[in-house]
């Protein structure tokens, strides 16, 4: 029973869960666990805050299979507790883990939300003019299949419509994902075409850029919480990102 949360902790847990959920389009499961004791709360100290979530959907079709975040030694405004909130008196850092599944990333690639992003961003795929087999063509993505086959690689198989001819062109390649220098995005390197051949370096680059845009951790930032990747693990069917979180505030109801 000693490990059971007190009434104050339970109220704070619930307020934080409601606050975080309000920033998400969908939530399958979300738990916030605040560890401290009444004396420390009065002194403005919290021992630890753990956030664990499953099936968190942000910005329409950008989904995380899992989110785990651990903060320790947190300084708070003790008066905020009376209002059921955890108000930080200074920013804190946390360890975070984000798991994205193959299905999550495919959903983002082919969602209407991301298609709108493409239309709004000329450097992306939608209606972009690129050279295909030496000729300038306007492309429209029909379908993009993103796979995580293992061996530390990702694979893309895209069907692109060439507007001028009305024909579909298939593009397939595998690549090795790497963390970008700023720790915010995942880029693709060491592109291999297997049995197929490269029909357009520009098209390959557009697909790589689109992957980086979808896997940009800024897409998954919460209000007051930003993530920076420091480790990447690629397994069959899922991508695990180990990150540091910079926490300026903990959302609450």
């Amino acid at each position: 029973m000693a490990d059971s949360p007190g009434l104050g902790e339970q109220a704070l847990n619930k307020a934080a869960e409601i606050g975080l959920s309000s920033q998400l389009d969908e939530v399958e499961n979300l738990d916030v666990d605040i560890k401290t004791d009444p004396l420390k709360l009065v002194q403005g100290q919290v021992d630890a805050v753990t956030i664990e979530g499953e099936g968190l959907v942000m910005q329409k079709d950008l989904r995380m299979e899992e989110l785990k975040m651990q903060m320790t030694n947190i300084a708070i405004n003790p008066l905020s507790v009376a209002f059921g909130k955890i108000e930080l008196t200074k920013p804190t850092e946390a360890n975070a883990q984000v798991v994205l599944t193959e299905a999550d990333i495919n959903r983002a690639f082919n969602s209407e939300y991301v298609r709108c992003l493409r239309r709004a961003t000329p450097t992306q795929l939608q209606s972009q003019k690129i050279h295909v087999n030496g000729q300038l063509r306007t492309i429209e993505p029909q379908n993009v299949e993103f796979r995580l086959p293992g061996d530390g690689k990702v694979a893309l198989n895209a069907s692109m419509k060439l507007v001028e001819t009305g024909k579909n062109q298939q593009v397939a390649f595998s690549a090795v994902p790497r963390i970008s220098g700023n720790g915010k995005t995942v880029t693709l390197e060491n592109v291999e075409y297997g049995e197929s051949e490269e029909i357009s370096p520009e098209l390959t680059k557009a697909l790589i850029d689109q992957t980086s845009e979808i896997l940009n951790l800024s897409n998954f930032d919460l209000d007051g919480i930003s993530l920076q990747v420091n480790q990447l693990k690629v397994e069959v069917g899922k991508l695990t990102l180990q990150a540091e979180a910079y926490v300026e505030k903990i959302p609450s109801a």
Side-chain angles (χ1 to χ4, degrees), residues 127-139 161-165 199-200 202-203:
S127 299
Q128 184 174 336
K129 284 186 177 294
I130 63 174
H131 287 91
V132 177
N133 290 329
Q135 294 183 306
L136 194 63
R137 299 295 190 207
T138 304
I139 60 167
K161 180 181 179 181
L162 306 182
V163 175
E164 288 81 0
T165 65
I199 63 165
S200 167
E202 293 175 31
L203 183 51

Side-chain angles (χ1 to χ4, degrees), residues 77-102:
N77 176 1
L79 296 177
S80 68
V81 177
F83 299 96
K85 297 182 179 181
I86 290 286
E87 180 184 311
L88 303 184
T89 56
K90 61 181 180 181
T92 189
E93 294 182 350
N95 295 319
Q97 176 177 290
V98 175
V99 176
L100 305 174
T101 67
E102 187 176 270

Side-chain angles (χ1 to χ4, degrees), residues 3-238:
D3 292 331
S4 298
L7 292 176
E9 289 173 326
Q10 288 179 349
L12 293 173
N13 291 348
K14 194 64 180 176
E17 288 168 11
I18 293 171
L20 287 165
S21 296
S22 69
Q23 298 186 27
L24 303 165
D25 283 1
E26 295 176 30
V27 177
E28 291 178 16
N29 186 50
L30 181 63
D31 291 307
V32 178
D33 185 15
I34 296 172
K35 294 290 187 186
T36 190
D37 61 53
L39 180 58
K40 286 186 176 180
L41 272 180
V42 171
Q43 296 172 340
Q45 298 174 15
V46 172
D47 291 330
V49 177
T50 303
I51 300 170
E52 295 189 355
E54 297 175 352
L56 309 180
V57 179
M58 310 177 68
Q59 300 186 60
K60 307 299 183 186
D61 285 302
L62 300 173
R63 180 183 183 275
M64 288 183 279
E65 175 70 11
E66 294 178 18
L67 169 66
K68 295 180 181 178
M69 191 177 299
Q70 177 78 40
M71 309 171 215
T72 57
N73 299 322
I74 302 142
I76 67 164
N77 176 1
L79 296 177
S80 68
V81 177
F83 299 96
K85 297 182 179 181
I86 290 286
E87 180 184 311
L88 303 184
T89 56
K90 61 181 180 181
T92 189
E93 294 182 350
N95 295 319
Q97 176 177 290
V98 175
V99 176
L100 305 174
T101 67
E102 187 176 270
D104 293 336
I105 301 169
N106 264 312
R107 169 177 169 167
F109 256 115
N110 295 288
S111 71
E112 183 56 33
Y113 173 73
V114 172
R115 288 179 190 275
C116 287
L117 279 182
R118 292 172 185 156
R119 286 194 289 269
T121 311
T123 57
Q124 300 307 318
L125 296 174
Q126 188 74 28
S127 299
Q128 184 174 336
K129 284 186 177 294
I130 63 174
H131 287 91
V132 177
N133 290 329
Q135 294 183 306
L136 194 63
R137 299 295 190 207
T138 304
I139 60 167
E140 290 185 354
Q142 303 301 297
N143 183 65
V144 178
E145 181 188 7
F146 181 95
R147 293 185 297 111
L148 293 166
D151 297 325
K153 294 182 179 181
V154 305
L156 281 93
N157 190 334
S159 175
M160 300 290 171
K161 180 181 179 181
L162 306 182
V163 175
E164 288 81 0
T165 65
K167 295 181 179 180
N168 281 0
Q169 182 74 58
Q170 293 295 126
V171 184
F173 62 87
S174 65
V176 177
R178 304 283 190 209
I179 302 167
S180 64
N182 63 7
K184 295 301 290 185
T185 62
V186 175
T187 59
L188 302 184
E189 300 177 357
N190 302 334
V191 175
E192 295 180 357
Y193 291 90
E195 296 180 1
S196 64
E197 62 181 34
E198 182 180 32
I199 63 165
S200 167
E202 293 175 31
L203 183 51
T204 299
K205 184 179 185 301
L207 286 164
I208 289 172
D209 289 347
Q210 186 67 59
T211 304
S212 294
E213 181 177 311
I214 289 171
L215 297 180
N216 188 329
L217 272 198
S218 297
N219 294 329
F220 301 99
D221 286 348
L222 295 161
D223 184 24
I225 302 176
S226 59
L227 302 174
Q228 182 170 328
V229 187
N230 52 32
Q231 191 173 343
L232 174 67
K233 185 178 181 181
V234 185
E235 299 174 272
V236 176
K238 73 176 183 179

